Amino acid sequence: MKSLALVIADLIDNFRNKSHTQLGPKGVFYFGHSANVFSAIVRLGFAKDTTPLLSSNFNDMRNRKWKSLYLSLFASNL
């Protein structure tokens, strides 16, 4: 199995090739568990909040971007 860094690099290369040359596969699929999806989301910089979630600011962070319920259920796509 490829490491996460290689998977992300491959994914970005596929997007770049497709956007610049229109060449390459019509789809690239990677399969894994929610932990893999969370790792990829973090590595790509998605759902990054500017304020860290703490017990003292929990009520203020109700509209935070990082909510595991919305980012990855048992089965999800990225």
Side-chain angles (χ1 to χ4, degrees):
M1 177 168 168
K2 292 183 178 182
S3 73
L4 180 62
L6 293 176
V7 169
I8 297 298
D10 185 57
L11 180 69
I12 291 171
D13 286 343
N14 279 300
F15 281 140
R16 187 175 294 121
N17 289 338
K18 194 67 168 178
S19 67
H20 292 310
T21 65
Q22 298 299 314
L23 299 174
K26 291 184 179 184
V28 177
F29 302 92
Y30 300 100
F31 298 92
H33 296 281
S34 60
N36 304 115
V37 174
F38 284 134
S39 297
I41 289 170
V42 169
R43 188 83 158 162
L44 291 169
F46 296 152
K48 189 173 183 179
D49 290 301
T50 55
T51 306
L53 179 62
L54 305 170
S55 62
S56 59
N57 70 355
F58 183 76
N59 288 331
D60 298 331
M61 297 292 290
R62 287 181 194 257
N63 295 322
R64 65 190 179 274
K65 295 175 186 174
W66 186 270
K67 287 188 176 184
S68 58
L69 174 66
Y70 299 119
L71 294 174
S72 178
L73 300 171
F74 180 75
S76 60
N77 300 304
L78 178 65

